[in-house]
Amino acid sequence: MIVQEKNQDAVGKSESKKFWKFSDILADPIVKERWEKIRKYFFLRESTYDMTRKCNIRCKGCYYYEGDKQYAQDNRDPEAWRRLMRAENKRGITYVVLAGAEPSLVPELCEICYQEMPLGTIATNGLKYIPESIGYRIHISVWGNDETSRLIRKAKNMLHRQVENYKGDPRAVFVYTFTRNNIDEVYEVVKILGEHGCKATFNIFSAPVGYDGDLKHTTDSLLYTRKTIIDLMKKYPESVLFSSYGVVAHTHKYGLHDLYSCSYPRMNPSKDIGLGRSFRQYRADLTWNRDTACCVPDTDCSDCRHYAAGSAVVTARLFRHASDPLTFSAWLDYVDTYLAVWVMGYEKGKNLCNELVAPPGYGVF
Ligand code: SF4
Ligand code: SF4
């Protein structure tokens, strides 16, 4: 979430060697307006919660069933969850991500979280409808067309069932995960989603620790994914929630940690500031462990391009993007997109920057 790094270079240099003050960058009224729009959300402080260790399907490459978090016993006591949410609120958490394994299998616990903490997102496979009284954003994972889902997730007619459950639901965002093998299939998926008025965003498969299977990306597949997302943004502007800077950040040959230095506790030794201080990843038994805490635990950091990771890692780097108007506009688009994907009721604006802007200190790929 938007926990900002310390101001190391609030005034930077553009490629033309001109120094830009932040106030000069904001002199453009369109940039200023977008900045005012997104900065209202700087109060968001996130933690994540495994609601249950159970899932109704079993996907290849699932990071939940890596590491020891999968062995935590479920705590199904509603009052224990209510106490946890109240305690979380007291320590400054304002936004929750309910994940797991599969949160839709414990709707009564999700309901309690929503009663105590009204901002958040549920990550689900979308096969079981989550009651509409739970007003979180709902991210529905899509890993390809139905044939691919049948092979990788061992579930039949998956997209059809997901769309039937969530078409017309303002909470829903479909998250298409690009693996090395499903890139072209995204066209049929986004077309179907568009026909049903559903919103789509994109994730890049990030390998769990030790995974070396055929879902893992290569340099070629990252470049092809990049080209494909750019094309989809043009073809389906009403359905697709994404930005040009998101394309660069998530399909770069370097992962998010290399590009931006990940701020989650697992990779951030600082216990005093930002996410390093506030973020916790609770297991299904309500325990947590700072050494493994991040939004996608047991993902290989060197391969991490996960959309949930970017929502914190890239958005936190305001100051290093406040170097010139183009770079700052690219970053504003990223944050605007992330808020539209993660916060109920937030409407994405038109992207300000359609160029591929390089992450500070790196090339464009
Ligand atoms: S639906 Fe999610 S939690 Fe369940 S096996 Fe698949 S990736 Fe893992
Ligand atoms: S997996 Fe990603 S989000 Fe988690 S600590 Fe590593 S780089 Fe950060």
Side-chain angles (χ1 to χ4, degrees), residues 49-343:
Y49 308 83
D50 291 343
M51 303 305 292
T52 172
R53 63 191 289 267
K54 297 200 166 43
C55 188
N56 43 1
I57 52 175
R58 196 55 60 96
C59 311
K60 267 198 214 171
C62 167
Y63 76 82
Y64 182 79
Y65 293 109
E66 290 295 328
D68 59 1
K69 62 187 178 305
Q70 60 181 307
Y71 304 114
Q73 292 303 309
D74 282 15
N75 185 328
R76 297 283 181 98
D77 175 5
E79 287 316 306
W81 280 90
R82 193 181 299 282
R83 281 195 299 277
L84 173 66
M85 285 295 126
R86 288 182 179 169
E88 289 292 273
N89 193 276
K90 271 203 183 120
R91 72 177 187 89
I93 298 304
T94 54
Y95 186 97
V96 295
V97 178
L98 309 187
E102 181 47 53
S104 67
L105 302 183
V106 287
E108 67 288 355
L109 301 182
C110 299
E111 183 89 53
I112 283 181
C113 295
Y114 180 65
Q115 287 166 5
E116 299 297 330
M117 198 84 81
L119 284 176
T121 289
I122 299 179
T124 176
N125 59 37
L127 294 177
K128 183 167 182 279
Y129 180 72
I130 294 168
E132 65 178 336
S133 57
I134 302 170
Y136 288 137
R137 266 268 182 261
I138 295 184
H139 287 185
I140 300 143
S141 59
V142 184
W143 287 33
N145 63 15
D146 276 356
E147 178 56 14
T148 297
S149 291
R150 194 182 62 74
L151 292 172
I152 295 182
R153 313 188 79 178
K154 310 197 182 47
K156 284 187 189 157
N157 303 323
M158 195 149 179
L159 187 63
H160 176 76
R161 290 153 72 194
Q162 292 167 321
V163 168
E164 277 306 303
N165 279 338
Y166 287 104
K167 68 183 172 196
D169 191 324
R171 301 173 299 171
V173 177
F174 288 73
V175 182
Y176 188 96
T177 292
F178 283 99
T179 69
R180 183 161 99 202
N181 299 321
N182 70 359
I183 301 172
D184 287 329
E185 293 166 30
V186 73
Y187 285 98
E188 62 184 283
V189 171
V190 174
K191 182 166 180 290
I192 291 170
L193 293 177
E195 285 165 358
H196 290 88
C198 302
K199 299 284 185 200
T201 194
F202 304 117
N203 181 34
I204 308 299
F205 179 78
S206 304
V209 173
Y211 177 88
D212 200 24
D214 64 353
L215 303 179
K216 192 170 175 174
H217 278 281
T218 61
T219 303
D220 284 348
S221 70
L222 286 170
L223 277 171
Y224 192 43
T225 301
R226 172 175 289 202
K227 182 173 156 291
T228 303
I229 299 178
I230 292 168
D231 193 33
L232 288 165
M233 285 167 60
K234 286 185 194 139
K235 279 201 168 93
Y236 298 98
E238 299 301 319
S239 320
V240 167
L241 298 171
F242 221 75
S243 70
S244 296
Y245 195 53
V247 174
V248 174
H250 289 268
T251 63
H252 203 280
K253 67 181 169 191
Y254 294 116
L256 292 167
H257 178 59
D258 285 337
L259 293 176
Y260 303 101
S261 182
C262 176
S263 32
Y264 281 104
R266 192 174 148 210
M267 290 300 273
N268 175 2
S270 167
K271 294 184 179 166
D272 302 324
I273 52 166
L275 278 182
R277 180 183 63 78
S278 63
F279 181 86
R280 292 180 186 171
Q281 197 273 322
Y282 285 88
R283 297 170 174 196
D285 60 2
L286 309 191
T287 63
W288 65 283
N289 175 357
R290 189 182 190 281
D291 296 339
T292 58
C294 85
C295 60
V296 280
D298 296 301
T299 297
D300 179 354
C301 294
S302 66
D303 196 52
C304 179
R305 297 178 179 83
H306 201 278
Y307 82 114
S311 72
V313 177
V314 183
T315 56
R317 303 305 179 205
L318 186 166
F319 293 113
R320 69 178 72 172
H321 290 89
S323 54
D324 60 88
L326 187 69
T327 308
F328 191 60
S329 297
W331 180 83
L332 283 175
D333 287 343
Y334 188 97
V335 180
D336 190 50
T337 305
Y338 133 73
L339 288 169
V341 168
W342 292 86
V343 178

